[in-house]
Amino acid sequence: MSDFALFCPAPLGERERVLMAHGGGGRLMRELIEGLFAARLKPQHETDAATLAAGGARLAFTTDSFVVRPIFFPGGDIGSLAVHGTVNDLAMAGAEPVALSAAFILEEGLEMETLRRVVDSMAQAAQRAGVRIVTGDTKVVERGHADQIYITTTGIGVLAHDGELAPGRAAPGDEVVLSGDIGRHGMAVMSAREGLTFESEIVSDSAPVHREALGLLENGVRVHCMRDLTRGGLASAVIEIARAAGVRVELDEARIPVREDVRAACELLGFDPLYVANEGRFVAFVAAGEGERAAALLPGGAVIGKVLETGAGAVTLRSLIGAARVLDLLSGEQLPRIC
Amino acid sequence: MKHLDEYRDAGRARALAAEIARVMTRPWRIMEICGGQTHAILRFGIDQLLPPELELVHGPGCPVCVTPLELIDRAIALARMPGVLLASFGDMLRVPGSGTDLLAARARGAQVAVVYSPLDAARLAEQKQDRQIVFFAVGFETTVPGVALAVREARRLGLKNFSILSAHVLVPPALRAILGSPQSRIQGVLAAGHVCTVEGFEDYEPIARDYGVPVVVTGFEPVDLLQGILLCVRQLEAGRAVVENQYARAVRREGNREARALVRAMFEPVDRKWRGIGVIPLSGLALRPEWREFDAEQRFSLSTGEVQESPECIGGLVLQGAKKPLECPAFGEHCTPERPLGAPMVSSEGACAAYYRYGRTHV
């Protein structure tokens, strides 16, 4: 084999179309948001919710679309998810959710009973979260031009604090607090979609987190920023905060809770739980010395790391066997249409 | 899966690393064949625990990386044919062919589906009788039995719309090619536990003897890998070169007899081109004549033209353990997982992807 031919292919020419990875929460999505949306629309905020002052009130404002497949999965459905997702984006800005709008894109032929179940689920989720759905819109498209049902929810909330919660406020000494075990939503949807069965059914963590998040503020924890762990999972959320603040964050893999069944499913399918989507978990960066108190206020809370120094915005992970490596944004799509 | 914890135990891992350092009297270079092992080494930072005199080089065990451009181009051509749906494992879809990859082709209208099992592809064929379902069958010995079952199931169901495009490859011929190359620097080998679960390790015994290299059948967890390395180093220090089985909890010498018999009944060895390496005799598997009605290359007329690859990527050298990803000038610059020059940068078993994702230890 001394005459090995050594070669590799030419660069790709077909990048000028939207790929699934543009919605995957990883690097291509970041490129799309920064290079196309932000460059043209020039939003003032880089967080999931904008904060505005209007008529003497300080408000948070956010919007989110939901395309999850299948629309019913263990632990939730597209309706409850659409409520929780927007409530949680408001909560991460430190806002008490007040009102939501809901817009529906329906595929011709969708069974009315299915739609009823989804909308009932939304109503229940809104009631449990203490938020009202006050306005909405409905469009129907031809069969095959959408997949059953897509929902967009927009939310408004009143800020529950006088300060500012922003990724840029993460500072050296801050402790990183995680609100519970990770990876459940992604693996629950994946198992339902692929018909995979494990010893026990993996149930999504989909839930409103505003009471937990606002509870930190009410109890006087000095919170610098919060982020819910949706697409891209824990790793992507912490990396984005580290970059925005220009700080180095170190996480300790051994302290990050992952349920046994979720870990098994991830192993089987080749996913890294650090990057798997959640719908009822968040991280809070809190002032030095306040991590344990914050964790105790959260059911399942844990201090999983700290901010080390300013400089290159990056995250390092201390692995289970004690070695260190840098965590990076995910390439490509790990799990499409998870929310 | 609870048993995994004991194979990820930091105390055991450190004790094994210390034992490796203690028994080593001189530098050694060991190749782990499987890309899954490469990823585990970098993901857990196993290389950071080892003495610097022990060099781990990475082998060809990434099936999508070695799938030749021509086959990927044929898969894309199939996906673009009216009435054809191409199904494969997700890992295959992002690997660039000569012009594009399957995901980008899908964004332009080609019919491509991700499946987790070849049997799911056969099920698709059962559900979508108006379409030809082609399963792009990629993988080493580990994945062939599943494909054999899917083809057998298709015959049982009388499916006329199911076929496979076989890119299956075999480890032992490739290992011989690498160890027999004058540029080979490999002194010891960690064989891939999963492959041996199916095929056993009898085939490795003549290889250990012929090339004078110890071969240790090794698992994929940190403690497995460190035990495998320790067994290999002990042999090297003692001047021995035999096959040992670290992964005894999953692997028997004769492998899985039933799976092997099924594969032999339905597939036969053929010469196969390995991307970046070249043609290796009898290193691939194709359906035997009596099963050829399920061979997509027989069912569809596909161009077999040769395509040229650009010289910037050193993927071929990486797959032979002759170079490491960081020695490539394009690494992380012209070549990233978003815009790859070669397959090792995109596959979940590719060495370049492992270095890109896990290889940075300092900010």
Side-chain angles (χ1 to χ4, degrees):
Chain A
M1 298 298 290
S2 56
D3 58 345
F4 280 154
L6 303 169
F7 39 48
C8 249
L12 296 180
E14 292 191 33
R15 286 292 178 191
E16 285 303 291
R17 299 224 176 190
V18 172
L19 302 175
M20 289 303 291
H22 282 116
R27 218 171 300 142
L28 274 186
M29 185 163 129
R30 181 96 336 248
E31 282 180 25
L32 180 70
I33 292 174
E34 285 168 5
L36 198 152
F37 292 124
R40 285 166 173 77
L41 302 174
K42 304 193 187 341
Q44 283 183 313
H45 301 268
E46 285 188 18
T47 47
D48 286 338
T51 50
L52 312 161
R58 294 176 71 230
L59 302 175
F61 183 50
T62 189
T63 191
D64 213 337
S65 294
F66 297 85
V67 298
V68 65
R69 179 175 65 86
I71 58 179
F72 299 98
F73 50 83
D77 56 72
I78 192 170
S80 55
L81 195 63
V83 172
H84 298 155
T86 293
V87 163
N88 293 347
D89 281 347
L90 293 171
M92 293 300 102
E96 181 78 54
V98 174
L100 305 185
S101 73
F104 298 85
I105 295 173
L106 307 176
E107 184 191 14
E108 176 188 25
L110 176 71
E111 285 184 16
M112 212 49 97
E113 180 53 28
T114 305
L115 183 58
R116 248 181 240 123
R117 279 176 66 196
V118 168
V119 176
D120 282 346
S121 168
M122 283 185 91
Q124 278 171 22
Q127 194 185 15
R128 273 205 303 273
V131 62
R132 292 201 306 143
I133 298 173
V134 293
T135 184
D137 182 50
T138 308
K139 300 282 190 297
V140 179
V141 298
E142 299 90 332
R143 191 175 193 125
H145 288 233
D147 188 358
Q148 292 184 284
I149 176 169
Y150 304 144
I151 304 177
T152 298
T153 50
T154 300
I156 237 175
V158 178
L159 290 188
H161 57 90
D162 308 323
E164 187 200 4
L165 295 179
R169 289 200 58 217
D174 278 9
E175 294 175 56
V176 183
V177 180
L178 172 64
S179 71
D181 66 294
I182 59 166
R184 275 204 240 168
H185 177 71
M187 298 326 291
V189 172
M190 201 60 193
S191 311
R193 188 187 301 170
E194 301 299 332
L196 302 172
T197 46
F198 300 98
E199 280 174 22
S200 56
E201 185 177 57
I202 298 174
V203 175
S204 169
D205 60 340
S206 177
V209 299
H210 61 298
R211 294 200 179 91
E212 296 168 22
L214 299 179
L216 296 180
L217 299 169
E218 283 158 14
N219 281 282
V221 176
R222 283 177 295 151
V223 179
H224 291 157
C225 85
M226 296 189 280
R227 177 68 64 96
D228 56 341
L229 315 177
T230 53
R231 269 172 307 178
L234 172 67
S236 307
V238 177
I239 290 165
E240 288 185 3
I241 292 168
R243 288 187 180 174
V247 293
R248 184 159 80 84
V249 179
E250 184 175 84
L251 300 181
D252 186 349
E253 192 171 21
R255 289 169 165 238
I256 299 171
V258 184
R259 282 167 54 105
E260 200 59 49
D261 51 2
V262 172
R263 194 139 63 97
C266 283
E267 290 289 335
L268 200 67
L269 296 171
F271 295 123
D272 185 342
L274 292 175
Y275 292 89
V276 174
N278 310 269
E279 288 292 342
R281 298 288 180 265
F282 65 96
V283 285
F285 281 58
V286 303
E290 306 221 336
E292 289 302 337
R293 191 162 71 89
L297 288 166
L298 302 167
V303 179
I304 59 164
K306 54 183 181 293
V307 179
L308 294 183
E309 73 250 344
T310 48
V315 181
T316 49
L317 179 80
R318 192 145 291 281
S319 83
L320 291 177
I321 62 167
R325 64 179 161 90
V326 177
L327 288 183
D328 209 346
L329 285 181
L330 205 60
S331 293
E333 51 164 353
Q334 173 151 291
L335 291 167
R337 290 186 58 188
I338 209 77
C339 58
Chain B
M1 272 290 171
K2 283 203 175 58
H3 73 274
L4 269 186
D5 289 339
E6 65 182 287
Y7 297 100
R8 291 184 178 176
D9 181 82
R12 285 184 78 188
R14 289 194 178 276
L16 284 163
E19 180 63 9
I20 291 166
R22 197 185 64 77
V23 300
M24 272 179 57
T25 61
R26 56 188 149 140
W28 295 112
R29 193 179 292 115
I30 296 174
M31 171 188 267
E32 83 280 355
I33 294 179
C34 173
Q37 293 170 330
T38 307
H39 274 252
I41 287 164
L42 285 143
R43 178 177 161 206
F44 290 102
I46 292 166
D47 50 334
Q48 297 173 41
L49 302 186
L50 294 171
E53 298 76 32
L54 182 76
E55 190 186 352
L56 291 176
V57 296
H58 316 307
C62 164
V64 316
C65 298
V66 301
T67 299
L69 271 184
E70 290 85 351
L71 264 180
I72 298 174
D73 285 355
R74 262 175 257 169
I76 293 169
L78 279 166
R80 284 175 171 157
M81 278 183 194
V84 174
L85 173 71
L86 186 98
S88 195
F89 302 129
D91 212 24
M92 194 66 232
L93 305 190
R94 292 167 60 211
V95 176
S98 63
T100 184
D101 59 65
L102 281 160
L103 281 184
R106 184 169 77 180
R108 288 183 171 256
Q111 295 289 309
V112 179
V114 178
V115 291
Y116 282 85
S117 151
L119 283 164
D120 289 346
R123 215 162 292 138
L124 267 180
E126 201 183 352
Q127 289 159 4
K128 298 177 189 289
Q129 301 267 352
D130 57 331
R131 279 208 258 173
Q132 285 288 334
I133 309 296
V134 181
F135 180 66
F136 193 6
V138 185
F140 284 100
E141 292 90 328
T142 334
T143 52
V144 190
V147 176
L149 283 177
V151 171
R152 199 174 68 175
E153 183 69 0
R155 176 170 283 178
R156 192 183 67 82
L157 293 169
L159 296 176
K160 301 290 176 209
N161 63 331
F162 179 75
S163 58
I164 67 163
L165 181 63
S166 174
H168 284 303
V169 277
L170 303 169
V171 171
L175 188 55
R176 280 187 178 275
I178 287 169
L179 294 174
S181 157
Q183 356 169 341
S184 171
R185 313 177 301 157
I186 317 301
Q187 295 167 304
V189 169
L190 305 184
H194 290 173
V195 167
C196 297
T197 309
V198 175
E199 285 292 322
F201 51 81
E202 292 156 322
D203 288 350
Y204 295 86
E205 289 164 357
I207 294 179
R209 197 173 52 235
D210 293 352
Y211 298 97
V213 292
V215 175
V216 181
V217 178
T218 303
F220 297 80
E221 296 299 326
V223 167
D224 288 323
L225 284 155
L226 286 160
Q227 277 176 348
I229 292 165
L230 177 60
L231 291 172
C232 201
V233 167
R234 279 197 183 132
Q235 283 201 46
L236 287 165
E237 289 286 342
R240 296 169 65 226
V242 297
V243 178
E244 281 184 279
N245 183 12
Q246 180 278 330
Y247 205 37
R249 69 179 186 277
V251 173
R252 286 170 295 171
R253 180 169 181 271
E254 70 278 13
N256 180 332
R257 286 209 171 119
E258 201 181 337
R260 290 176 80 183
L262 178 72
V263 169
R264 269 158 196 61
M266 296 177 63
F267 286 89
E268 62 188 4
V270 292
D271 295 352
R272 167 97 0 108
K273 184 172 175 184
W274 292 51
R275 184 173 194 169
I277 295 181
V279 175
I280 301 178
L282 301 179
S283 67
L285 288 177
L287 285 169
R288 289 188 182 277
E290 55 271 37
W291 292 93
R292 222 157 261 171
E293 63 190 285
F294 295 100
D295 185 340
E297 304 211 49
Q298 305 288 322
R299 183 170 302 186
F300 303 93
S301 70
L302 297 166
S303 115
T304 50
E306 292 261 320
V307 277
Q308 286 300 313
E309 308 207 38
S310 98
E312 201 180 352
C313 158
I314 62 163
L317 288 170
V318 171
L319 288 164
Q320 298 166 57
K323 291 246 182 191
K324 292 219 177 166
L326 297 180
E327 294 175 66
C328 176
F331 179 90
E333 301 287 330
H334 307 299
C335 182
T336 62
E338 281 72 34
R339 288 162 184 84
L341 290 174
M345 184 53 99
V346 279
S347 167
S348 64
E349 294 183 297
C352 301
Y355 274 78
Y356 194 88
R357 188 154 165 200
Y358 303 127
R360 275 200 304 147
T361 54
H362 295 95
V363 174

